[in-house]
Amino acid sequence: MTEENRQIRLELKGIHKSFERGTVNENHVLKGIDLTLYDGDFVTVIGGNGAGKSTLMNTISGQYTPDEGSIKINYEDVTQLPTNKRAKLVSYVFQDTRMGTASRLSIEENMALANRRGLSRGLTKGVKDADRDEMREQLKKLDLGLEDRLTAEVQFLSGGQRQALTLLMATLRRPQVLLLDEHTAALDPKTSEMVLQLTDKIVRDEQLTALMITHNMKDALTLGNRLIMLHQGKIVIDVSGEEKDNLTVEKLINLFKQEAGEELTNDAMLLS
Ligand SMILES: Nc1ncnc2c1ncn2[C@@H]1O[C@H](COP(=O)(O)OP(=O)(O)O)[C@@H](O)[C@H]1O
Ligand SMILES: [Mg+2]
């Protein structure tokens, strides 16, 4: 499908964000970000340590308010909308596998909470029998046997199982935008690969619109239909479709040199 007839899910215009504004320590982190994501875009995000990747996501989720610029989700201006009001629009999965779930609650209690995300009433953790069948069906998709452990406390799951559950929970109530901030970086390589495959499956099956930060070049090149690179608070590379499919690390390095006017050292990319 061409971009013209796809719905716009996320639109950032002229986003600027500084920390410690007006002090000697002022740090201008995002320097004019323009980014439009169309329905079903699965975008991998790369960039060196401190490039502003996490700040960009935090600005989309509402954790940080931009100093300048506007953010629209589904054509609605959310620039001033607080994080809790954005929760039903935006889901966020972090690197820390403990952040997306409540340790002392069971799998089913966590899932019940995820199902009520963004709803103001009924913040009880009770689970109805009728919900359990549905939960088992959802958990089967993970292929980790968690459907037989509904009442197990989440603290007893492995990091990979827990992150897979977090991912499922983050997508149960179809978010308009899914944000993944190095969500497999804390896992061992094999488990990371499992969670990445699961991510790919969920994003494609549900046709979600997603931004995934990774410091793994191979993952950034393999996954998604579009790749952006942040450098010193600006998007310096934005490739999609066939151009992305044909991209190699070498081409990326050349592209960076062409766009940013400097050499890309592997360290700057990989030590994030
Ligand atoms: N809450 C904050 N307060 C002050 N400075 C911050 C805050 N969050 C991020 N920064 C600064 O913004 C810059 C970009 O950070 P970040 O967005 O986390 O980079 P990345 O995710 O690309 O590694 C860094 O210099 C970092 O120190
Ligand atoms: Mg980061």
Side-chain angles (χ1 to χ4, degrees), residues 19-20 27 29 48-56 64:
F19 294 105
E20 310 200 50
N27 185 3
V29 176
N49 197 14
K53 305 179 298 296
S54 296
T55 302
L56 177 65
Y64 302 149

Side-chain angles (χ1 to χ4, degrees), residues 233-246:
K234 290 182 178 160
I235 295 175
V236 291
I237 291 176
D238 185 348
V239 291
S240 53
E242 243 177 74
E243 196 184 0
K244 171 166 184 312
D245 294 340
N246 295 328

Side-chain angles (χ1 to χ4, degrees), residues 226-239:
R226 185 170 167 191
L227 175 149
I228 64 176
M229 180 170 178
L230 246 70
H231 180 62
Q232 296 175 355
K234 290 182 178 160
I235 295 175
V236 291
I237 291 176
D238 185 348
V239 291

